[in-house]
Amino acid sequence: MTLEEIRSRLQSGVPGCQVELVVNGSPSGQNSLLLDRDHGLAAATLLCDQIQLDFCSNVTAVDWPDREKTDKVKTKQMVDGEEKEIEHTIKTRIPGFLEVVYHLFSMTKHLGPVVIRMRTGNRSDDVTLPSLTPIWRSAEFQEREAFDLYGVVFEGHPDLRRILMWDGFTDYPMRKDYVPPPDDELERLREQ
Amino acid sequence: MDQDLKNELSKHGIFATTFEELYNWGRKNSVWPLTFGLACCAIEMIATTMARYDLARFGAEIFRPSPRQADLMIVSGTVTKKMAPQVVRLYNQMPEPKYVIAMGACAISGGPFRDGYNVLKGIDRFIPVDVHIPGCPPRPEALIHAFMALQEKISAQHLTGEARPRHLKQELPSEFPVPEFGEHGLEPAQNDEVFHNPLKVLQG
């Protein structure tokens, strides 16, 4: 079963669900499906029950900080009575987001890995995603890890606590913009 | 007592010694380590106790499972920030006289994980270390060397005077404050009473 087939099954089985094929251009060519987070739980239920992807081997998160994309566009303009091509650079700001990645396998149909992704709205206050732990129990600790290190809040998780860092810790150390606090004066000086 | 006179007397079957020598001799040959390993260095430490390297030759064959019965803490491996308070607490629970060997790059400075958000940059920030062993991990021979260095250190100590060991000085602490988990890291990040701040050392 190809990703395209799974995608059309999802679109017909879950009304209103946006599924996007994310193409991986590297030699591994491991493409994935980007699920829309409002229908994430329903789509995952379908994946588990109907396509029999019954095993979730891996959950991780990716931090995509705000970035700027520069495109060069050539336009034709009249300069001094002559037609000339002029290059413009257009900068577009792409707001950052957090992304979680699930690797799914089917033990019964020997299928996999099927990679699904979900994205949050931004990196600060809109970081909620549906928890898939009710469907794949093996996601429980790994979703806690993504919450601990990246700050993704999983709605519907049975026990969402920090798992590696202590409870009073307030940072998300695997985010790109995290800077560990300097531990002594020498390090503080080196930073200056 | 003069060493030559002692040798002369021993030829005549007379054994002469001082209380200090006897005390240090007993102390240095019955250093019992704590059964306590943190990472891959602990594997080398275990190998050191086994038949091939046989740490028992130095009187350290019994690894005590309780800090109350141990004399030596071998900090063998990476100390994470989450583990550091427990390490200090274990040290506090050991009775005097007590010694610490920092085994390997991680226990000395954080080693290859120094820049990580979760790793303590050397256990000497919180407890006094007697012997440091470099290596990643140090071989069993290096641990035996460190153990012999510790024995030499013990046998050179005097029971009276300014140079007497820490446990004989009433005013010096035998317990050290346990760091707390803060919002961004350990609080405090180091114990300035114990830690030789590199900046202060540089400034002289």
Side-chain angles (χ1 to χ4, degrees):
Chain A
M1 198 170 208
T2 63
L3 274 187
E4 278 296 340
E5 285 166 6
I6 295 175
R7 186 180 167 209
S8 52
R9 281 281 291 275
L10 281 173
Q11 277 169 336
S12 58
V14 185
C17 181
Q18 305 275 324
V19 187
E20 194 184 312
L21 189 72
V22 181
V23 178
N24 181 346
S26 76
S28 73
Q30 199 170 53
N31 302 339
S32 51
L33 290 175
L34 178 64
L35 303 182
D36 116 56
R37 57 174 165 156
D38 298 328
H39 299 91
L41 194 67
T45 313
L46 187 145
L47 288 177
C48 181
D49 295 345
Q50 294 184 25
I51 306 179
Q52 286 172 307
L53 290 163
D54 44 15
F55 175 53
C56 172
S57 79
N58 182 39
V59 182
T60 190
V62 187
D63 179 26
W64 296 97
D66 296 346
R67 65 198 166 105
E68 250 186 12
K69 199 176 145 199
T70 48
D71 286 311
K72 285 187 177 169
V73 178
K74 282 180 183 172
T75 51
K76 284 182 179 174
Q77 274 187 349
M78 297 292 281
V79 182
D80 303 331
E82 267 181 77
E83 203 177 38
K84 278 186 177 175
E85 273 196 346
I86 295 174
E87 256 191 9
H88 290 280
T89 50
I90 302 170
K91 284 186 177 174
T92 41
R93 208 175 139 273
I94 300 173
F97 51 85
L98 301 167
E99 185 179 67
V100 287
V101 185
Y102 293 78
H103 286 194
L104 308 176
F105 289 84
S106 173
M107 290 291 126
T108 44
K109 287 160 81 179
H110 300 285
L111 193 72
V114 173
V115 184
I116 60 169
R117 295 162 187 267
M118 283 189 288
R119 287 177 184 172
T120 64
N122 57 27
R123 299 170 71 243
S124 48
D125 53 354
D126 188 15
V127 289
T128 312
L129 288 178
S131 167
L132 303 188
T133 305
I135 298 161
W136 295 289
R137 187 69 205 277
S138 56
E140 181 180 347
F141 276 19
Q142 300 187 71
E143 282 184 348
R144 274 178 68 184
E145 189 186 352
F147 165 72
D148 187 358
L149 303 181
Y150 290 89
V152 184
V153 177
F154 291 94
E155 212 168 15
H157 192 283
D159 181 29
L160 195 64
R161 288 177 291 137
R162 282 184 180 269
I163 190 168
L164 294 170
M165 306 305 284
W166 51 89
D167 287 333
F169 196 70
T170 53
D171 301 333
Y172 300 114
M174 288 295 274
R175 287 203 187 180
K176 297 276 184 194
D177 50 6
Y178 173 77
V179 182
D183 274 353
D184 56 50
E185 284 143 51
L186 194 69
E187 285 183 7
R188 217 163 281 144
L189 262 176
R190 209 177 281 146
E191 270 182 13
Q192 287 164 11
Chain B
M1 194 186 237
D2 185 42
Q3 192 62 42
D4 291 335
L5 180 61
K6 258 197 243 179
N7 293 344
E8 193 58 36
L9 282 171
S10 68
K11 281 175 195 163
H12 295 91
I14 300 166
F15 175 64
T17 187
T18 59
F19 181 71
E20 183 179 289
E21 264 177 40
L22 205 61
Y23 180 79
N24 282 346
W25 174 76
R27 218 153 49 98
K28 82 171 192 183
N29 287 307
S30 61
V31 179
W32 290 354
L34 180 62
T35 316
F36 170 65
L38 290 174
C40 28
C41 281
I43 304 296
E44 297 295 303
M45 179 178 74
I46 294 160
T48 315
T49 65
M50 293 292 124
R52 185 180 175 108
Y53 296 100
D54 200 12
L55 198 64
R57 290 175 291 162
F58 304 92
E61 66 270 39
I62 312 176
F63 273 64
R64 303 311 299 187
S66 159
R68 305 283 184 204
Q69 301 166 348
D71 308 299
L72 169 67
M73 175 185 255
I74 302 175
V75 184
S76 51
T78 320
V79 187
T80 59
K81 283 179 181 167
K82 210 171 175 183
M83 188 66 185
Q86 278 70 265
V87 176
V88 179
R89 197 166 286 129
L90 279 174
Y91 179 81
N92 287 347
Q93 287 171 350
M94 285 162 60
E96 290 280 8
K98 55 187 170 185
Y99 314 97
V100 177
I101 290 178
M103 181 178 182
C106 295
I108 293 172
S109 68
F113 313 110
R114 186 183 170 86
D115 292 332
Y117 57 89
N118 57 339
V119 173
L120 182 70
K121 293 162 187 173
I123 192 61
D124 56 352
R125 282 165 191 263
F126 290 113
I127 55 178
V129 175
D130 293 281
V131 184
H132 296 81
I133 330 171
C136 186
R139 282 194 55 87
E141 290 92 330
L143 181 58
I144 288 174
H145 181 77
F147 203 85
M148 289 163 74
L150 180 66
Q151 286 187 322
E152 276 164 32
K153 189 174 175 176
I154 292 171
S155 63
Q157 284 171 338
H158 297 289
L159 300 188
T160 52
E162 260 317 290
R164 68 190 190 276
R166 199 190 67 239
H167 70 278
L168 293 175
K169 289 181 183 169
Q170 286 294 319
E171 71 279 8
L172 289 186
S174 92
E175 292 186 7
F176 292 90
V178 178
E180 302 269 330
F181 291 135
E183 290 191 351
H184 306 287
L186 290 176
E187 282 172 10
Q190 70 258 333
N191 180 359
D192 288 321
E193 305 274 303
V194 178
F195 183 51
H196 295 284
N197 193 325
L199 194 66
K200 284 176 190 156
V201 175
L202 280 178
Q203 286 168 346

